[in-house]
Amino acid sequence: GEIWQDKYILVLKLTKDYNEAVKIATEANKKADLEFQNENRGYSKEKGIYYTKDIGDGLSKGEYIARRDAGEYVSLENSSSYTVFESGYIVVMVGIYDDRGSAEEGLKRVKQFYPEAYVEETVMWNGVNAQ
């Protein structure tokens, strides 16, 4: 069957301004020592964030693939890809965690630099379990 899992998203900022999102993500890279890679990504009002080049799958150019994996690094995501956010925003995301404890630890680390950071609980589709 399908696998839905509880996840915790650590958010630095929800914004409609792409330049602001990039600025915050770039700063977080320096201040909080979090990896931020924005290569191969572009932005347009219509599409939001999308891949400017194929990422090796022959399909991704011009498309957007939402971040799903647990891990701590900064990324810019389209809010519409997550059930918990209103669409039309860019999410400056620091991490996706499998449990609240890890998310809270991540939050503690970034709070000193980003007092408005917060954790959002959500449910993510994690693929189909092939039996």
Short mmCIF file of all heavy atoms in Angstrom, two decimals, residues 87-123:
data_model
loop_
_atom_site.label_atom_id
_atom_site.label_comp_id
_atom_site.label_asym_id
_atom_site.label_seq_id
_atom_site.Cartn_x
_atom_site.Cartn_y
_atom_site.Cartn_z
N SER A 87 -0.55 27.52 -0.48
CA SER A 87 0.27 27.57 -1.70
C SER A 87 0.60 29.02 -2.08
O SER A 87 -0.01 29.96 -1.59
CB SER A 87 -0.42 26.84 -2.85
OG SER A 87 -1.59 27.50 -3.19
N GLY A 88 1.61 29.15 -2.96
CA GLY A 88 2.01 30.48 -3.41
C GLY A 88 3.21 31.05 -2.68
O GLY A 88 3.62 32.18 -2.93
N TYR A 89 3.78 30.27 -1.79
CA TYR A 89 4.95 30.74 -1.03
C TYR A 89 6.19 29.92 -1.37
O TYR A 89 6.10 28.83 -1.90
CB TYR A 89 4.70 30.60 0.49
CG TYR A 89 3.72 31.60 1.02
CD1 TYR A 89 2.36 31.32 1.02
CD2 TYR A 89 4.15 32.81 1.54
CE1 TYR A 89 1.44 32.24 1.51
CE2 TYR A 89 3.24 33.74 2.03
CZ TYR A 89 1.89 33.45 2.02
OH TYR A 89 0.99 34.36 2.50
N ILE A 90 7.34 30.48 -0.99
CA ILE A 90 8.59 29.75 -1.04
C ILE A 90 8.93 29.44 0.41
O ILE A 90 8.89 30.32 1.26
CB ILE A 90 9.72 30.61 -1.66
CG1 ILE A 90 9.37 30.94 -3.10
CG2 ILE A 90 11.06 29.88 -1.58
CD1 ILE A 90 10.14 32.12 -3.65
N VAL A 91 9.23 28.18 0.68
CA VAL A 91 9.60 27.77 2.03
C VAL A 91 11.12 27.70 2.09
O VAL A 91 11.74 26.98 1.32
CB VAL A 91 9.04 26.36 2.36
CG1 VAL A 91 9.33 26.00 3.82
CG2 VAL A 91 7.55 26.28 2.07
N VAL A 92 11.71 28.49 3.01
CA VAL A 92 13.14 28.36 3.26
C VAL A 92 13.23 27.31 4.37
O VAL A 92 12.90 27.56 5.52
CB VAL A 92 13.78 29.69 3.71
CG1 VAL A 92 15.30 29.51 3.89
CG2 VAL A 92 13.49 30.80 2.71
N MET A 93 13.62 26.10 3.96
CA MET A 93 13.55 24.92 4.82
C MET A 93 14.95 24.50 5.25
O MET A 93 15.85 24.42 4.42
CB MET A 93 12.89 23.82 3.98
CG MET A 93 12.53 22.60 4.73
SD MET A 93 11.84 21.34 3.60
CE MET A 93 10.23 22.00 3.20
N VAL A 94 15.11 24.22 6.53
CA VAL A 94 16.40 23.82 7.05
C VAL A 94 16.49 22.31 7.22
O VAL A 94 17.55 21.73 7.11
CB VAL A 94 16.68 24.48 8.42
CG1 VAL A 94 17.90 23.90 9.08
CG2 VAL A 94 16.83 25.97 8.24
N GLY A 95 15.37 21.69 7.50
CA GLY A 95 15.45 20.25 7.71
C GLY A 95 14.10 19.58 7.65
O GLY A 95 13.06 20.21 7.83
N ILE A 96 14.16 18.29 7.37
CA ILE A 96 13.01 17.41 7.51
C ILE A 96 13.47 16.32 8.47
O ILE A 96 14.55 15.76 8.32
CB ILE A 96 12.59 16.80 6.16
CG1 ILE A 96 12.13 17.90 5.20
CG2 ILE A 96 11.49 15.76 6.37
CD1 ILE A 96 11.74 17.40 3.82
N TYR A 97 12.65 16.08 9.48
CA TYR A 97 13.03 15.14 10.54
C TYR A 97 11.94 14.08 10.71
O TYR A 97 10.77 14.35 10.49
CB TYR A 97 13.21 15.88 11.87
CG TYR A 97 14.17 17.03 11.77
CD1 TYR A 97 13.72 18.29 11.36
CD2 TYR A 97 15.52 16.88 12.07
CE1 TYR A 97 14.60 19.36 11.25
CE2 TYR A 97 16.40 17.95 11.98
CZ TYR A 97 15.94 19.18 11.56
OH TYR A 97 16.80 20.23 11.45
N ASP A 98 12.37 12.90 11.15
CA ASP A 98 11.42 11.82 11.37
C ASP A 98 10.73 11.91 12.73
O ASP A 98 9.70 11.29 12.94
CB ASP A 98 12.15 10.46 11.29
CG ASP A 98 12.65 10.19 9.87
OD1 ASP A 98 11.94 10.57 8.91
OD2 ASP A 98 13.74 9.62 9.73
N ASP A 99 11.31 12.67 13.65
CA ASP A 99 10.69 12.77 14.98
C ASP A 99 10.82 14.19 15.51
O ASP A 99 11.71 14.94 15.11
CB ASP A 99 11.33 11.77 15.95
CG ASP A 99 12.80 12.06 16.15
OD1 ASP A 99 13.61 11.57 15.35
OD2 ASP A 99 13.13 12.81 17.10
N ARG A 100 9.93 14.53 16.42
CA ARG A 100 9.88 15.88 16.96
C ARG A 100 11.16 16.24 17.72
O ARG A 100 11.64 17.38 17.63
CB ARG A 100 8.65 16.08 17.86
CG ARG A 100 8.55 17.51 18.38
CD ARG A 100 7.27 17.80 19.11
NE ARG A 100 6.11 17.92 18.25
CZ ARG A 100 5.82 18.99 17.51
NH1 ARG A 100 6.65 20.02 17.47
NH2 ARG A 100 4.73 19.03 16.78
N GLY A 101 11.73 15.30 18.46
CA GLY A 101 12.94 15.55 19.24
C GLY A 101 14.08 16.10 18.39
O GLY A 101 14.69 17.11 18.73
N SER A 102 14.34 15.44 17.27
CA SER A 102 15.42 15.89 16.36
C SER A 102 15.10 17.26 15.80
O SER A 102 15.97 18.11 15.64
CB SER A 102 15.59 14.94 15.18
OG SER A 102 15.57 13.61 15.60
N ALA A 103 13.82 17.47 15.46
CA ALA A 103 13.40 18.75 14.90
C ALA A 103 13.61 19.87 15.92
O ALA A 103 14.10 20.95 15.58
CB ALA A 103 11.93 18.69 14.48
N GLU A 104 13.28 19.60 17.17
CA GLU A 104 13.45 20.60 18.24
C GLU A 104 14.93 20.92 18.46
O GLU A 104 15.30 22.06 18.72
CB GLU A 104 12.80 20.14 19.55
CG GLU A 104 11.29 19.99 19.49
CD GLU A 104 10.51 21.30 19.33
OE1 GLU A 104 11.08 22.38 19.60
OE2 GLU A 104 9.33 21.23 18.94
N GLU A 105 15.79 19.90 18.36
CA GLU A 105 17.23 20.13 18.48
C GLU A 105 17.72 21.03 17.34
O GLU A 105 18.50 21.95 17.56
CB GLU A 105 18.00 18.80 18.42
CG GLU A 105 18.10 18.11 19.74
CD GLU A 105 18.69 16.71 19.60
OE1 GLU A 105 19.63 16.53 18.80
OE2 GLU A 105 18.18 15.81 20.28
N GLY A 106 17.26 20.75 16.13
CA GLY A 106 17.61 21.58 14.99
C GLY A 106 17.14 23.01 15.19
O GLY A 106 17.86 23.97 14.91
N LEU A 107 15.93 23.14 15.72
CA LEU A 107 15.34 24.46 15.96
C LEU A 107 16.20 25.24 16.96
O LEU A 107 16.47 26.42 16.75
CB LEU A 107 13.91 24.30 16.48
CG LEU A 107 13.13 25.60 16.75
CD1 LEU A 107 12.99 26.44 15.48
CD2 LEU A 107 11.75 25.30 17.33
N LYS A 108 16.62 24.58 18.03
CA LYS A 108 17.48 25.24 19.03
C LYS A 108 18.73 25.82 18.39
O LYS A 108 19.15 26.91 18.71
CB LYS A 108 17.89 24.23 20.12
CG LYS A 108 17.10 24.38 21.38
CD LYS A 108 17.69 23.48 22.47
CE LYS A 108 16.59 22.59 23.03
NZ LYS A 108 16.97 21.22 23.31
N ARG A 109 19.32 25.04 17.47
CA ARG A 109 20.56 25.50 16.82
C ARG A 109 20.35 26.72 15.94
O ARG A 109 21.21 27.58 15.86
CB ARG A 109 21.17 24.37 15.98
CG ARG A 109 21.85 23.32 16.82
CD ARG A 109 22.77 22.45 15.98
NE ARG A 109 22.06 21.67 14.99
CZ ARG A 109 21.44 20.52 15.24
NH1 ARG A 109 21.43 20.02 16.45
NH2 ARG A 109 20.81 19.87 14.27
N VAL A 110 19.21 26.83 15.27
CA VAL A 110 19.01 27.97 14.36
C VAL A 110 18.30 29.16 15.00
O VAL A 110 18.40 30.27 14.51
CB VAL A 110 18.26 27.57 13.05
CG1 VAL A 110 19.05 26.54 12.29
CG2 VAL A 110 16.85 27.10 13.32
N LYS A 111 17.63 28.93 16.14
CA LYS A 111 16.88 29.99 16.83
C LYS A 111 17.74 31.20 17.15
O LYS A 111 17.28 32.33 17.12
CB LYS A 111 16.30 29.48 18.15
CG LYS A 111 14.88 28.96 18.06
CD LYS A 111 13.87 30.06 17.93
CE LYS A 111 12.51 29.60 18.41
NZ LYS A 111 11.40 30.25 17.72
N GLN A 112 19.02 30.97 17.51
CA GLN A 112 19.90 32.09 17.87
C GLN A 112 20.10 33.04 16.69
O GLN A 112 20.27 34.22 16.86
CB GLN A 112 21.23 31.57 18.39
CG GLN A 112 21.93 30.61 17.43
CD GLN A 112 23.25 30.09 17.99
OE1 GLN A 112 24.02 30.85 18.58
NE2 GLN A 112 23.50 28.81 17.79
N PHE A 113 20.07 32.49 15.47
CA PHE A 113 20.25 33.32 14.28
C PHE A 113 18.90 33.75 13.69
O PHE A 113 18.80 34.80 13.07
CB PHE A 113 21.01 32.55 13.19
CG PHE A 113 22.29 31.93 13.67
CD1 PHE A 113 22.40 30.56 13.80
CD2 PHE A 113 23.38 32.72 14.01
CE1 PHE A 113 23.59 29.98 14.24
CE2 PHE A 113 24.56 32.15 14.46
CZ PHE A 113 24.67 30.77 14.57
N TYR A 114 17.91 32.88 13.84
CA TYR A 114 16.58 33.10 13.25
C TYR A 114 15.51 32.90 14.29
O TYR A 114 14.92 31.83 14.39
CB TYR A 114 16.36 32.15 12.06
CG TYR A 114 17.40 32.38 10.99
CD1 TYR A 114 18.55 31.61 10.94
CD2 TYR A 114 17.24 33.39 10.05
CE1 TYR A 114 19.53 31.84 9.98
CE2 TYR A 114 18.21 33.64 9.09
CZ TYR A 114 19.35 32.86 9.06
OH TYR A 114 20.30 33.10 8.13
N PRO A 115 15.25 33.95 15.09
CA PRO A 115 14.28 33.82 16.18
C PRO A 115 12.88 33.42 15.72
O PRO A 115 12.12 32.86 16.50
CB PRO A 115 14.27 35.20 16.85
CG PRO A 115 15.20 36.06 16.08
CD PRO A 115 15.90 35.26 15.05
N GLU A 116 12.55 33.68 14.44
CA GLU A 116 11.20 33.35 13.97
C GLU A 116 11.09 31.93 13.42
O GLU A 116 10.02 31.52 12.97
CB GLU A 116 10.76 34.32 12.87
CG GLU A 116 10.51 35.72 13.34
CD GLU A 116 11.09 36.76 12.40
OE1 GLU A 116 10.97 36.59 11.17
OE2 GLU A 116 11.68 37.73 12.91
N ALA A 117 12.20 31.19 13.43
CA ALA A 117 12.17 29.82 12.90
C ALA A 117 11.18 28.98 13.71
O ALA A 117 10.95 29.25 14.89
CB ALA A 117 13.57 29.20 12.99
N TYR A 118 10.58 28.01 13.08
CA TYR A 118 9.62 27.15 13.77
C TYR A 118 9.56 25.77 13.13
O TYR A 118 10.04 25.56 12.02
CB TYR A 118 8.23 27.79 13.79
CG TYR A 118 7.61 27.99 12.42
CD1 TYR A 118 6.70 27.06 11.90
CD2 TYR A 118 7.92 29.11 11.65
CE1 TYR A 118 6.14 27.24 10.64
CE2 TYR A 118 7.36 29.29 10.39
CZ TYR A 118 6.47 28.36 9.90
OH TYR A 118 5.92 28.53 8.66
N VAL A 119 8.95 24.83 13.87
CA VAL A 119 8.78 23.47 13.37
C VAL A 119 7.33 23.26 13.00
O VAL A 119 6.42 23.63 13.74
CB VAL A 119 9.21 22.44 14.45
CG1 VAL A 119 8.83 21.03 14.02
CG2 VAL A 119 10.70 22.53 14.71
N GLU A 120 7.12 22.68 11.84
CA GLU A 120 5.77 22.41 11.34
C GLU A 120 5.62 20.89 11.20
O GLU A 120 6.44 20.25 10.56
CB GLU A 120 5.63 23.09 9.97
CG GLU A 120 4.23 23.19 9.45
CD GLU A 120 3.34 24.16 10.22
OE1 GLU A 120 3.47 25.39 10.05
OE2 GLU A 120 2.51 23.67 10.98
N GLU A 121 4.60 20.35 11.84
CA GLU A 121 4.37 18.91 11.73
C GLU A 121 3.52 18.65 10.48
O GLU A 121 2.57 19.38 10.21
CB GLU A 121 3.62 18.41 12.96
CG GLU A 121 3.43 16.91 12.96
CD GLU A 121 2.78 16.39 14.25
OE1 GLU A 121 2.62 17.17 15.20
OE2 GLU A 121 2.44 15.20 14.27
N THR A 122 3.87 17.63 9.73
CA THR A 122 3.11 17.33 8.53
C THR A 122 3.11 15.83 8.28
O THR A 122 3.77 15.08 8.98
CB THR A 122 3.69 18.10 7.30
OG1 THR A 122 2.79 17.93 6.20
CG2 THR A 122 5.06 17.58 6.92
N VAL A 123 2.35 15.43 7.29
CA VAL A 123 2.34 14.04 6.88
C VAL A 123 2.83 14.03 5.44
O VAL A 123 2.38 14.83 4.63
CB VAL A 123 0.91 13.45 6.96
CG1 VAL A 123 0.88 12.05 6.38
CG2 VAL A 123 0.45 13.43 8.40
#
